[in-house]
Amino acid sequence: MQSLNKIWLFCVLLFVSSVASANLTIEITRGSDQALPIGVVPFAGSDGLPEDVAQIVQDDLERSGYFAPLARGDMFEQPSQSDDVQFGTWRSLDVRYLVVGTAEQTDGGFELQFELMDISGQRRMMGETVTVRGNDLRGAAHYISDQIFEEITDIRGAFSTKIAYVTAQGVGDDMQFGLYVADADGRRSEQVLTSDEPIMSPAWSPDGTKLAYVSFETERPAIYIQDVATGQRVKATSFEGINGAPAWSPDGRSIAMSLSKDGQPEIYIMDVANRSVERITNNNSIDTEPAWAPDGQSLLFTSDRSGGPQIYQYSMGGGEAQRMTYTGNYNARGRYSPDGEQIFLIHRSSRGYQVARQDLSGDRLVVLSESTRDESPSVAPNGTMVIFATQQGNSGVLSAVSADGRSSFRLPSAQGDVRDPAWSPFLN
Amino acid sequence: MQLKPLARSLAAALSIVVIAGCSSTGGTQDGDSYGSQDGSTTGSSTSGTGTGSQYGSTSGSGAGQQADSRIPEVRTIYFDYDRDTIKSEYESVVMAHARYLRANPNARVVLHGHTDERGTREYNMALGERRAGAVERFLNIQGVSPSQMSVVSYGEERPAVNGQGESAYAQNRRVVFNY
């Protein structure tokens, strides 16, 4: 049984980029008591390089909640290749895994070598040479994190993914909104849209090249589709009333959305190629926040047809939508896990609005977050973490909790409110 | 076209009663800012700026006694948590707008529905639309033509005040009459 006093609290602030930007920093708020102890030795030759690759790898692994890295100051020695690793030394530090490596500047970029050691098994588990073109040391570090994570956990790493999110500053009629895309660790953020009218509900296309989102730039809501790399975009829908909650189908051909053009907000599916829309729900109530099952065969959505908002599931085969949630009187914004077996949602508990998980096959609901003003859960493509928006003091911040609720971290922003996160699919 | 944010807040701050120049085009769609290739939008619709200074007269008359040639001064009504019922204390406000719109068939109003920040964003969009829709139906029953009215929900996206607690939430659960 998990003992509360064994939960580790870390406060790790990453170096804030020297240039002013909307980068998010990371604060680990809850560490899992089941995290695996690992040592990530500084890579030999990395002094003077623009990025500390081993530190990025260490932070990635720690943020996942699966690993508890050894502090650098506690390392007696700093080997850079497997032949030099003294297993006894690391065993005495209770380290189970060790990462060693080298970094070298080359003509066109960098060459990184890393090896992963199983300390208790006294063996080399894997090693790889990574060629970096240009300056993308951060990308290479996230790639190395992905390899190490998968080798040890058998779960595909999601460190090379992105998050999209919305920022807001000001109040009332005097507000500024921004849509950003950043690395999954909040760094290297890039602005993709600014507006003095609201921006909402970014959603990634399944190939990770496009974002659909809601923008009020014409002083009413419309859904736009924007190519992330080029910035080119089209207005996809601007029906009378609500144009909201876009969600791409797994094959990328359709976008489910909520439109109120016929009165109440109803779920529609738009054909991306010809922009025609087909109505899915037909009900004198609110139907919104659709999400596709990974196999594309069903949709979750929020409806208040039973009174308050609850999660329903619609099968593409037709028939009546089935109510999925029965715990409490407010369950909204459901999202499937990548294996399609669980849903993550916002649940109103006695404490407030919290991120919760429920098995699709049962009706037992488990609250995951400790914060109480949560919104907009979005699941990592490997299913290990859920990123969501919450409040810290009077500011909107992004936070993430592991799917088992054991570990969590926060991504505060230096300025303004941050909300509406969307975790990208795998990008490689 | 709406007044831009600065002009709007100036107008509110100065308690300016009439901004007649903006009434005839309310509710029309502004497509100017759409289509920029770099994905950024610019504040291109600035035509409302400065019109407020032409009509600087303030009036102390209550909503019930206003001449029907003037847009009623009170343009925001507030709602209870999770409700879209127009509270009795605001019926006189809505009635004043009904009289104005009946007397001025060319006037158009956009009803902006808002919620407090609690709950999910898209569900709150739907709740904001319900509130504005309730006002639209009330106006319609009072004889205002549907062609004079449109509804835009902002959900929780444009709070009137920041902060948590019932006093902030209560100021954010509102419908605003925009002419």
Side-chain angles (χ1 to χ4, degrees):
Chain A
M1 195 164 107
Q2 191 176 346
S3 146
L4 273 178
N5 58 19
K6 277 184 72 185
I7 290 176
W8 305 341
L9 286 166
F10 298 96
C11 254
V12 181
L13 277 170
L14 293 184
F15 307 103
V16 179
S17 172
S18 55
V19 290
S21 73
N23 275 343
L24 307 172
T25 52
I26 298 256
E27 290 172 22
I28 293 185
T29 44
R30 199 176 353 145
S32 168
D33 60 348
Q34 296 186 356
L36 298 166
I38 191 169
V40 185
V41 180
F43 283 16
S46 58
D47 282 354
L49 297 189
E51 298 285 353
D52 184 339
V53 172
Q55 188 67 52
I56 296 169
V57 171
Q58 174 173 327
D59 293 338
D60 281 348
L61 296 174
E62 179 169 24
R63 207 171 60 249
S64 75
Y66 282 71
F67 294 95
L70 180 72
R72 280 184 177 181
D74 294 339
M75 295 177 183
F76 298 141
E77 52 193 34
Q78 299 197 340
S80 61
Q81 53 183 343
S82 53
D83 289 348
D84 300 336
V85 171
Q86 306 288 325
F87 289 102
T89 305
W90 297 98
R91 212 165 32 236
S92 71
L93 291 166
D94 288 328
V95 167
R96 278 188 61 185
Y97 300 97
L98 191 70
V99 180
V100 296
T102 60
E104 194 184 341
Q105 191 142 18
T106 59
D107 278 350
F110 302 91
E111 189 170 277
L112 307 174
Q113 291 189 26
F114 76 94
E115 293 175 281
L116 171 63
M117 316 293 294
D118 175 356
I119 295 299
S120 39
Q122 300 199 26
R123 66 186 180 98
R124 179 181 184 274
M125 296 176 75
M126 70 176 303
E128 196 174 323
T129 301
V130 182
T131 304
V132 185
R133 286 195 203 88
N135 241 339
D136 190 20
L137 276 172
R138 293 198 74 88
H142 293 316
Y143 170 82
I144 291 171
S145 303
D146 285 339
Q147 307 312 306
I148 293 166
F149 186 82
E150 181 164 358
E151 181 69 23
I152 297 173
T153 66
D154 275 336
I155 300 167
R156 186 172 174 184
F159 304 109
S160 301
T161 55
K162 304 266 187 189
I163 47 171
Y165 56 91
V166 174
T167 61
Q169 284 178 286
V171 70
D173 289 335
D174 188 14
M175 292 184 74
Q176 275 296 322
F177 297 85
L179 176 61
Y180 287 83
V181 171
D183 286 359
D185 61 1
R187 302 292 299 276
R188 298 199 293 191
S189 63
E190 290 183 45
Q191 192 170 65
V192 291
L193 185 74
T194 61
S195 179
D196 54 11
E197 295 287 341
I199 302 168
M200 289 175 72
S201 303
W204 291 90
S205 62
D207 65 2
T209 64
K210 297 185 183 70
L211 285 170
Y213 55 82
V214 177
S215 168
F216 280 67
E217 66 202 61
T218 59
E219 299 189 343
R220 44 183 305 271
I223 294 175
Y224 295 78
I225 300 173
Q226 181 164 334
D227 186 289
V228 176
T230 67
Q232 284 202 322
R233 63 190 200 134
V234 292
K235 192 193 276 183
T237 72
S238 57
F239 294 104
E240 186 164 344
I242 290 171
N243 295 259
W248 296 78
S249 64
D251 66 7
R253 291 183 186 157
S254 309
I255 297 180
M257 57 184 63
S258 181
L259 303 173
S260 66
K261 65 191 183 75
D262 296 327
Q264 297 283 341
E266 302 279 358
I267 306 296
Y268 289 77
I269 294 177
M270 185 188 78
D271 183 324
V272 174
N274 65 20
R275 308 275 160 74
S276 64
V277 295
E278 180 194 355
R279 185 165 164 174
I280 295 299
T281 57
N282 197 339
N283 199 290
N284 189 27
S285 63
I286 293 169
D287 292 325
T288 186
E289 299 174 340
W292 293 82
D295 64 4
Q297 294 306 301
S298 51
L299 284 174
L300 291 181
F301 63 95
T302 307
S303 177
D304 73 342
R305 58 188 64 184
S306 64
Q310 296 290 346
I311 308 284
Y312 289 75
Q313 183 171 251
Y314 170 83
S315 168
M316 292 300 158
E320 274 293 292
Q322 268 197 314
R323 181 170 167 181
M324 308 302 289
T325 50
Y326 289 91
T327 308
N329 56 15
Y330 194 112
N331 294 295
R333 227 264 191 181
R335 288 288 184 274
Y336 289 95
S337 61
D339 63 11
E341 290 176 7
Q342 298 178 317
I343 53 178
F344 297 93
L345 53 97
I346 295 297
H347 167 70
R348 185 169 64 200
S349 69
S350 58
R351 296 180 57 210
Y353 297 83
Q354 299 188 283
V355 177
R357 185 193 73 220
Q358 186 179 309
D359 285 343
L360 217 54
S361 54
D363 58 7
R364 197 173 72 93
L365 186 140
V366 181
V367 171
L368 301 176
S369 63
E370 298 198 326
S371 42
T372 56
R373 283 174 273 161
D374 303 343
E375 292 187 290
S376 311
S378 175
V379 188
N382 65 0
T384 58
M385 303 284 300
V386 180
I387 194 165
F388 58 97
T390 188
Q391 299 271 329
Q392 183 180 19
N394 277 336
S395 288
V397 297
L398 302 187
S399 192
V401 65
S402 59
D404 61 11
R406 284 204 177 93
S407 65
S408 63
F409 63 86
R410 245 192 329 247
L411 293 122
S413 164
Q415 41 181 266
D417 281 336
V418 188
R419 76 268 295 260
D420 247 344
W423 209 313
S424 81
F426 290 117
L427 299 171
N428 45 13
Chain B
M1 193 175 292
Q2 312 281 309
L3 282 177
K4 286 310 290 173
L6 179 63
R8 269 189 248 165
S9 46
L10 268 177
L14 297 171
S15 302
I16 289 166
V17 179
V18 183
I19 308 170
C22 296
S23 63
S24 59
T25 55
T28 56
Q29 189 169 317
D30 167 18
D32 297 354
S33 55
Y34 169 64
S36 57
Q37 294 293 296
D38 62 357
S40 66
T41 59
T42 53
S44 58
S45 49
T46 53
S47 58
T49 310
T51 55
S53 58
Q54 298 165 28
Y55 302 96
S57 66
T58 55
S59 162
S61 62
Q65 288 95 47
Q66 276 183 330
D68 291 342
S69 60
R70 292 182 168 181
I71 298 173
E73 188 173 354
V74 179
R75 297 183 200 161
T76 305
I77 65 170
Y78 299 93
F79 289 79
D80 285 338
Y81 175 62
D82 211 18
R83 303 303 291 264
D84 58 9
T85 317
I86 297 166
K87 294 157 84 170
S88 55
E89 63 200 279
Y90 295 115
E91 279 182 14
S92 63
V93 174
V94 185
M95 293 293 279
H97 286 275
R99 278 196 302 279
Y100 172 77
L101 287 162
R102 281 199 310 264
N104 298 275
N106 290 327
R108 294 170 61 86
V109 66
V110 184
L111 302 164
H112 286 181
H114 300 270
T115 69
D116 67 36
E117 65 173 29
R118 292 172 291 177
T120 64
R121 308 198 91 86
E122 290 283 1
Y123 189 72
N124 281 341
M125 287 296 297
L127 293 180
E129 186 176 72
R130 258 188 197 166
R131 284 186 181 140
V135 175
E136 186 182 40
R137 276 193 304 281
F138 188 104
L139 291 171
N140 188 225
I141 289 166
Q142 297 303 317
V144 178
S145 162
S147 66
Q148 290 177 271
M149 303 181 285
S150 60
V151 160
V152 174
S153 174
Y154 279 88
E156 62 177 285
E157 305 304 315
R158 276 200 183 281
V161 295
N162 280 327
Q164 282 87 37
E166 181 50 32
S167 72
Y169 296 153
Q171 293 177 72
N172 291 333
R173 294 188 301 262
R174 67 203 194 277
V175 167
V176 182
F177 296 77
N178 279 267
Y179 286 91

Short mmCIF file of all heavy atoms in Angstrom, two decimals, chain A residues 9-14 23-31 62-63 163 184-186 369-372 374 385-393 395-402 407-413 418:
data_model
loop_
_atom_site.label_atom_id
_atom_site.label_comp_id
_atom_site.label_asym_id
_atom_site.label_seq_id
_atom_site.Cartn_x
_atom_site.Cartn_y
_atom_site.Cartn_z
N LEU A 9 8.78 14.80 -2.37
CA LEU A 9 8.51 16.11 -2.94
C LEU A 9 9.80 16.69 -3.50
O LEU A 9 10.80 16.77 -2.81
CB LEU A 9 7.95 17.05 -1.87
CG LEU A 9 6.50 16.76 -1.49
CD1 LEU A 9 6.14 17.48 -0.21
CD2 LEU A 9 5.58 17.20 -2.62
N PHE A 10 9.74 17.02 -4.74
CA PHE A 10 10.89 17.64 -5.36
C PHE A 10 10.50 19.04 -5.82
O PHE A 10 9.37 19.30 -6.14
CB PHE A 10 11.33 16.88 -6.61
CG PHE A 10 11.76 15.48 -6.35
CD1 PHE A 10 10.87 14.45 -6.51
CD2 PHE A 10 13.05 15.20 -5.95
CE1 PHE A 10 11.24 13.15 -6.28
CE2 PHE A 10 13.45 13.90 -5.73
CZ PHE A 10 12.54 12.87 -5.89
N CYS A 11 11.43 19.91 -5.85
CA CYS A 11 11.21 21.21 -6.47
C CYS A 11 12.38 21.48 -7.39
O CYS A 11 13.42 21.95 -6.95
CB CYS A 11 11.05 22.31 -5.45
SG CYS A 11 9.36 22.84 -5.28
N VAL A 12 12.26 21.12 -8.61
CA VAL A 12 13.36 21.25 -9.56
C VAL A 12 13.00 22.31 -10.59
O VAL A 12 12.04 22.18 -11.32
CB VAL A 12 13.62 19.92 -10.28
CG1 VAL A 12 14.78 20.07 -11.25
CG2 VAL A 12 13.90 18.83 -9.27
N LEU A 13 13.72 23.36 -10.59
CA LEU A 13 13.50 24.40 -11.58
C LEU A 13 14.54 24.27 -12.68
O LEU A 13 15.74 24.28 -12.41
CB LEU A 13 13.61 25.78 -10.94
CG LEU A 13 12.37 26.28 -10.23
CD1 LEU A 13 12.69 27.53 -9.44
CD2 LEU A 13 11.27 26.56 -11.23
N LEU A 14 14.09 24.11 -13.89
CA LEU A 14 15.03 24.07 -15.00
C LEU A 14 15.56 25.47 -15.24
O LEU A 14 14.97 26.46 -14.84
CB LEU A 14 14.34 23.57 -16.26
CG LEU A 14 13.91 22.11 -16.21
CD1 LEU A 14 13.34 21.71 -17.56
CD2 LEU A 14 15.09 21.21 -15.89
N ASN A 23 8.40 30.39 -22.65
CA ASN A 23 8.75 29.05 -22.20
C ASN A 23 8.11 28.76 -20.85
O ASN A 23 8.00 29.63 -20.00
CB ASN A 23 10.26 28.92 -22.04
CG ASN A 23 10.93 28.56 -23.36
OD1 ASN A 23 10.27 28.10 -24.29
ND2 ASN A 23 12.23 28.78 -23.40
N LEU A 24 7.75 27.51 -20.67
CA LEU A 24 7.21 27.08 -19.39
C LEU A 24 8.33 26.37 -18.64
O LEU A 24 9.16 25.71 -19.24
CB LEU A 24 6.04 26.12 -19.62
CG LEU A 24 4.95 26.65 -20.54
CD1 LEU A 24 3.94 25.56 -20.85
CD2 LEU A 24 4.25 27.83 -19.91
N THR A 25 8.35 26.52 -17.34
CA THR A 25 9.34 25.79 -16.55
C THR A 25 8.64 24.61 -15.90
O THR A 25 7.43 24.49 -15.93
CB THR A 25 9.94 26.70 -15.46
OG1 THR A 25 8.87 27.28 -14.73
CG2 THR A 25 10.78 27.80 -16.09
N ILE A 26 9.45 23.73 -15.31
CA ILE A 26 8.87 22.51 -14.72
C ILE A 26 9.10 22.50 -13.22
O ILE A 26 10.21 22.76 -12.75
CB ILE A 26 9.54 21.26 -15.31
CG1 ILE A 26 9.30 21.19 -16.82
CG2 ILE A 26 9.09 20.01 -14.60
CD1 ILE A 26 8.28 20.21 -17.25
N GLU A 27 8.05 22.22 -12.47
CA GLU A 27 8.20 21.95 -11.04
C GLU A 27 7.58 20.58 -10.79
O GLU A 27 6.39 20.40 -11.03
CB GLU A 27 7.41 22.95 -10.19
CG GLU A 27 7.95 24.35 -10.19
CD GLU A 27 6.96 25.28 -9.49
OE1 GLU A 27 6.15 24.78 -8.68
OE2 GLU A 27 7.00 26.47 -9.79
N ILE A 28 8.39 19.64 -10.33
CA ILE A 28 7.83 18.33 -10.01
C ILE A 28 7.15 18.43 -8.66
O ILE A 28 7.76 18.83 -7.67
CB ILE A 28 8.92 17.25 -10.06
CG1 ILE A 28 9.36 17.11 -11.51
CG2 ILE A 28 8.40 15.93 -9.50
CD1 ILE A 28 10.35 16.02 -11.78
N THR A 29 5.86 18.16 -8.62
CA THR A 29 5.08 18.39 -7.41
C THR A 29 4.86 17.13 -6.60
O THR A 29 4.57 17.18 -5.42
CB THR A 29 3.72 19.01 -7.78
OG1 THR A 29 3.18 18.31 -8.90
CG2 THR A 29 3.89 20.47 -8.16
N ARG A 30 4.94 15.97 -7.25
CA ARG A 30 4.76 14.72 -6.54
C ARG A 30 5.59 13.66 -7.24
O ARG A 30 5.44 13.46 -8.44
CB ARG A 30 3.28 14.33 -6.55
CG ARG A 30 2.92 13.33 -5.49
CD ARG A 30 1.43 13.00 -5.45
NE ARG A 30 0.56 13.79 -6.29
CZ ARG A 30 -0.53 13.31 -6.91
NH1 ARG A 30 -0.86 12.05 -6.77
NH2 ARG A 30 -1.28 14.07 -7.66
N GLY A 31 6.49 12.99 -6.51
CA GLY A 31 7.27 11.92 -7.10
C GLY A 31 6.70 10.58 -6.67
O GLY A 31 6.24 10.44 -5.54
N GLU A 62 12.89 11.92 -14.96
CA GLU A 62 12.29 12.25 -13.67
C GLU A 62 10.84 12.70 -13.84
O GLU A 62 9.95 12.29 -13.09
CB GLU A 62 13.10 13.36 -12.98
CG GLU A 62 12.48 13.75 -11.63
CD GLU A 62 13.38 14.64 -10.81
OE1 GLU A 62 14.24 15.33 -11.41
OE2 GLU A 62 13.21 14.67 -9.59
N ARG A 63 10.59 13.54 -14.85
CA ARG A 63 9.24 14.07 -15.08
C ARG A 63 8.24 12.96 -15.37
O ARG A 63 7.06 13.08 -15.07
CB ARG A 63 9.32 15.05 -16.26
CG ARG A 63 8.28 16.12 -16.26
CD ARG A 63 8.58 17.14 -17.35
NE ARG A 63 8.61 16.56 -18.67
CZ ARG A 63 9.68 16.40 -19.43
NH1 ARG A 63 10.85 16.82 -19.02
NH2 ARG A 63 9.59 15.85 -20.62
N ILE A 163 3.47 19.96 -27.07
CA ILE A 163 2.17 20.36 -26.53
C ILE A 163 1.77 21.69 -27.17
O ILE A 163 2.62 22.56 -27.42
CB ILE A 163 2.16 20.51 -24.99
CG1 ILE A 163 3.37 21.32 -24.51
CG2 ILE A 163 2.12 19.17 -24.31
CD1 ILE A 163 3.31 21.68 -23.05
N ALA A 184 7.43 18.88 -25.25
CA ALA A 184 6.64 18.30 -24.16
C ALA A 184 7.14 18.76 -22.79
O ALA A 184 6.40 18.69 -21.81
CB ALA A 184 6.66 16.79 -24.24
N ASP A 185 8.40 19.23 -22.70
CA ASP A 185 8.89 19.74 -21.41
C ASP A 185 8.67 21.24 -21.27
O ASP A 185 9.20 21.87 -20.35
CB ASP A 185 10.37 19.39 -21.22
CG ASP A 185 11.28 20.01 -22.27
OD1 ASP A 185 10.77 20.73 -23.15
OD2 ASP A 185 12.50 19.77 -22.21
N GLY A 186 7.88 21.83 -22.18
CA GLY A 186 7.54 23.25 -22.07
C GLY A 186 8.55 24.19 -22.71
O GLY A 186 8.30 25.39 -22.81
N SER A 369 -5.86 14.04 -9.69
CA SER A 369 -5.16 15.29 -9.37
C SER A 369 -5.44 15.70 -7.93
O SER A 369 -6.42 15.28 -7.32
CB SER A 369 -5.60 16.40 -10.33
OG SER A 369 -6.98 16.66 -10.17
N GLU A 370 -4.54 16.54 -7.40
CA GLU A 370 -4.77 17.10 -6.07
C GLU A 370 -5.30 18.52 -6.16
O GLU A 370 -5.82 19.05 -5.20
CB GLU A 370 -3.46 17.06 -5.27
CG GLU A 370 -2.99 15.63 -5.09
CD GLU A 370 -1.98 15.47 -3.98
OE1 GLU A 370 -1.17 16.39 -3.78
OE2 GLU A 370 -2.01 14.42 -3.32
N SER A 371 -5.13 19.15 -7.33
CA SER A 371 -5.67 20.50 -7.54
C SER A 371 -7.18 20.40 -7.71
O SER A 371 -7.72 19.33 -7.98
CB SER A 371 -5.00 21.14 -8.75
OG SER A 371 -4.89 20.20 -9.82
N THR A 372 -7.87 21.54 -7.56
CA THR A 372 -9.33 21.49 -7.51
C THR A 372 -10.00 22.46 -8.48
O THR A 372 -11.20 22.69 -8.38
CB THR A 372 -9.81 21.81 -6.08
OG1 THR A 372 -9.27 23.07 -5.70
CG2 THR A 372 -9.38 20.74 -5.11
N ASP A 374 -9.47 22.19 -12.06
CA ASP A 374 -8.85 21.60 -13.24
C ASP A 374 -9.79 21.66 -14.44
O ASP A 374 -11.01 21.61 -14.31
CB ASP A 374 -8.49 20.13 -12.96
CG ASP A 374 -7.58 19.98 -11.76
OD1 ASP A 374 -6.97 20.99 -11.35
OD2 ASP A 374 -7.48 18.85 -11.23
N MET A 385 0.84 9.85 -19.03
CA MET A 385 0.57 11.09 -18.32
C MET A 385 -0.66 11.78 -18.92
O MET A 385 -0.99 11.56 -20.08
CB MET A 385 1.74 12.09 -18.44
CG MET A 385 3.10 11.65 -17.97
SD MET A 385 3.38 11.59 -16.19
CE MET A 385 3.13 13.23 -15.58
N VAL A 386 -1.30 12.60 -18.10
CA VAL A 386 -2.39 13.44 -18.57
C VAL A 386 -2.00 14.89 -18.26
O VAL A 386 -1.73 15.21 -17.09
CB VAL A 386 -3.71 13.09 -17.84
CG1 VAL A 386 -4.84 13.98 -18.34
CG2 VAL A 386 -4.05 11.63 -18.03
N ILE A 387 -1.96 15.73 -19.28
CA ILE A 387 -1.69 17.14 -19.03
C ILE A 387 -3.03 17.86 -18.95
O ILE A 387 -4.00 17.46 -19.60
CB ILE A 387 -0.77 17.74 -20.14
CG1 ILE A 387 -0.21 19.09 -19.70
CG2 ILE A 387 -1.48 17.83 -21.48
CD1 ILE A 387 0.96 19.57 -20.54
N PHE A 388 -3.12 18.87 -18.10
CA PHE A 388 -4.39 19.58 -17.93
C PHE A 388 -4.11 21.00 -17.47
O PHE A 388 -2.98 21.36 -17.14
CB PHE A 388 -5.30 18.84 -16.93
CG PHE A 388 -4.70 18.65 -15.55
CD1 PHE A 388 -5.00 19.53 -14.51
CD2 PHE A 388 -3.85 17.59 -15.29
CE1 PHE A 388 -4.44 19.36 -13.25
CE2 PHE A 388 -3.29 17.41 -14.03
CZ PHE A 388 -3.58 18.29 -13.00
N ALA A 389 -5.14 21.82 -17.50
CA ALA A 389 -5.02 23.20 -17.03
C ALA A 389 -5.58 23.29 -15.62
O ALA A 389 -6.56 22.63 -15.29
CB ALA A 389 -5.80 24.14 -17.96
N THR A 390 -4.92 24.09 -14.77
CA THR A 390 -5.44 24.30 -13.43
C THR A 390 -5.05 25.70 -12.97
O THR A 390 -4.54 26.50 -13.78
CB THR A 390 -4.95 23.21 -12.46
OG1 THR A 390 -5.64 23.33 -11.21
CG2 THR A 390 -3.45 23.29 -12.24
N GLN A 391 -5.31 26.02 -11.72
CA GLN A 391 -5.00 27.34 -11.19
C GLN A 391 -3.98 27.21 -10.09
O GLN A 391 -4.05 26.31 -9.26
CB GLN A 391 -6.26 27.99 -10.61
CG GLN A 391 -7.37 28.19 -11.61
CD GLN A 391 -7.27 29.51 -12.33
OE1 GLN A 391 -6.80 30.49 -11.77
NE2 GLN A 391 -7.71 29.54 -13.57
N GLN A 392 -3.02 28.13 -10.10
CA GLN A 392 -2.05 28.22 -9.01
C GLN A 392 -2.13 29.66 -8.53
O GLN A 392 -1.75 30.58 -9.26
CB GLN A 392 -0.65 27.87 -9.52
CG GLN A 392 0.40 27.87 -8.44
CD GLN A 392 1.78 27.52 -9.02
OE1 GLN A 392 2.01 27.63 -10.21
NE2 GLN A 392 2.69 27.13 -8.15
N GLY A 393 -2.64 29.87 -7.32
CA GLY A 393 -2.95 31.24 -6.92
C GLY A 393 -4.01 31.78 -7.85
O GLY A 393 -5.04 31.14 -8.05
N SER A 395 -3.32 32.43 -11.08
CA SER A 395 -2.85 32.24 -12.44
C SER A 395 -3.23 30.87 -12.98
O SER A 395 -3.21 29.88 -12.24
CB SER A 395 -1.32 32.34 -12.50
OG SER A 395 -0.92 33.65 -12.32
N GLY A 396 -3.56 30.84 -14.26
CA GLY A 396 -3.78 29.57 -14.93
C GLY A 396 -2.45 28.95 -15.29
O GLY A 396 -1.59 29.60 -15.86
N VAL A 397 -2.23 27.69 -14.91
CA VAL A 397 -0.98 26.99 -15.22
C VAL A 397 -1.33 25.62 -15.81
O VAL A 397 -2.44 25.13 -15.64
CB VAL A 397 -0.09 26.79 -13.97
CG1 VAL A 397 0.35 28.11 -13.40
CG2 VAL A 397 -0.81 25.95 -12.92
N LEU A 398 -0.35 25.03 -16.49
CA LEU A 398 -0.51 23.66 -16.94
C LEU A 398 0.08 22.74 -15.89
O LEU A 398 1.05 23.07 -15.22
CB LEU A 398 0.20 23.44 -18.27
CG LEU A 398 -0.24 24.32 -19.43
CD1 LEU A 398 0.41 23.87 -20.72
CD2 LEU A 398 -1.76 24.33 -19.56
N SER A 399 -0.53 21.58 -15.76
CA SER A 399 -0.07 20.60 -14.80
C SER A 399 -0.21 19.24 -15.46
O SER A 399 -0.95 19.10 -16.44
CB SER A 399 -0.93 20.70 -13.53
OG SER A 399 -0.35 19.97 -12.48
N ALA A 400 0.50 18.26 -14.96
CA ALA A 400 0.36 16.91 -15.51
C ALA A 400 0.38 15.92 -14.37
O ALA A 400 1.06 16.14 -13.36
CB ALA A 400 1.48 16.60 -16.51
N VAL A 401 -0.37 14.86 -14.53
CA VAL A 401 -0.40 13.80 -13.52
C VAL A 401 -0.24 12.47 -14.25
O VAL A 401 -0.71 12.33 -15.39
CB VAL A 401 -1.71 13.87 -12.69
CG1 VAL A 401 -2.94 13.59 -13.56
CG2 VAL A 401 -1.67 12.93 -11.50
N SER A 402 0.45 11.53 -13.62
CA SER A 402 0.60 10.22 -14.25
C SER A 402 -0.76 9.51 -14.27
O SER A 402 -1.63 9.78 -13.44
CB SER A 402 1.65 9.39 -13.52
OG SER A 402 1.27 9.20 -12.18
N SER A 407 2.45 10.37 -9.66
CA SER A 407 3.40 11.47 -9.79
C SER A 407 2.76 12.61 -10.57
O SER A 407 1.82 12.40 -11.33
CB SER A 407 4.69 11.01 -10.47
OG SER A 407 4.41 10.62 -11.80
N SER A 408 3.28 13.80 -10.33
CA SER A 408 2.71 14.95 -11.03
C SER A 408 3.76 16.04 -11.16
O SER A 408 4.74 16.08 -10.41
CB SER A 408 1.48 15.49 -10.29
OG SER A 408 1.84 15.95 -9.01
N PHE A 409 3.58 16.91 -12.13
CA PHE A 409 4.44 18.08 -12.24
C PHE A 409 3.63 19.24 -12.77
O PHE A 409 2.52 19.07 -13.27
CB PHE A 409 5.67 17.81 -13.11
CG PHE A 409 5.38 17.48 -14.55
CD1 PHE A 409 5.23 18.49 -15.50
CD2 PHE A 409 5.30 16.16 -14.97
CE1 PHE A 409 4.99 18.19 -16.83
CE2 PHE A 409 5.05 15.86 -16.31
CZ PHE A 409 4.89 16.87 -17.23
N ARG A 410 4.17 20.44 -12.62
CA ARG A 410 3.51 21.67 -13.03
C ARG A 410 4.39 22.41 -14.01
O ARG A 410 5.61 22.34 -13.94
CB ARG A 410 3.29 22.57 -11.81
CG ARG A 410 1.86 22.80 -11.45
CD ARG A 410 1.64 23.90 -10.45
NE ARG A 410 2.66 24.12 -9.48
CZ ARG A 410 2.52 23.89 -8.17
NH1 ARG A 410 1.40 23.39 -7.71
NH2 ARG A 410 3.49 24.15 -7.34
N LEU A 411 3.78 23.14 -14.93
CA LEU A 411 4.52 23.96 -15.89
C LEU A 411 4.07 25.41 -15.77
O LEU A 411 3.28 25.88 -16.58
CB LEU A 411 4.26 23.47 -17.32
CG LEU A 411 4.77 22.10 -17.72
CD1 LEU A 411 3.64 21.21 -18.17
CD2 LEU A 411 5.80 22.23 -18.81
N PRO A 412 4.56 26.14 -14.76
CA PRO A 412 4.12 27.52 -14.61
C PRO A 412 4.68 28.39 -15.74
O PRO A 412 5.75 28.12 -16.27
CB PRO A 412 4.72 27.95 -13.27
CG PRO A 412 5.30 26.73 -12.66
CD PRO A 412 5.55 25.76 -13.76
N SER A 413 3.96 29.42 -16.06
CA SER A 413 4.41 30.39 -17.06
C SER A 413 4.84 31.65 -16.34
O SER A 413 4.33 31.99 -15.28
CB SER A 413 3.28 30.70 -18.03
OG SER A 413 3.56 31.86 -18.76
N VAL A 418 -2.13 30.32 -18.63
CA VAL A 418 -1.90 29.28 -19.63
C VAL A 418 -3.02 28.26 -19.47
O VAL A 418 -3.37 27.89 -18.35
CB VAL A 418 -0.54 28.60 -19.42
CG1 VAL A 418 -0.21 27.66 -20.57
CG2 VAL A 418 0.55 29.65 -19.29
#
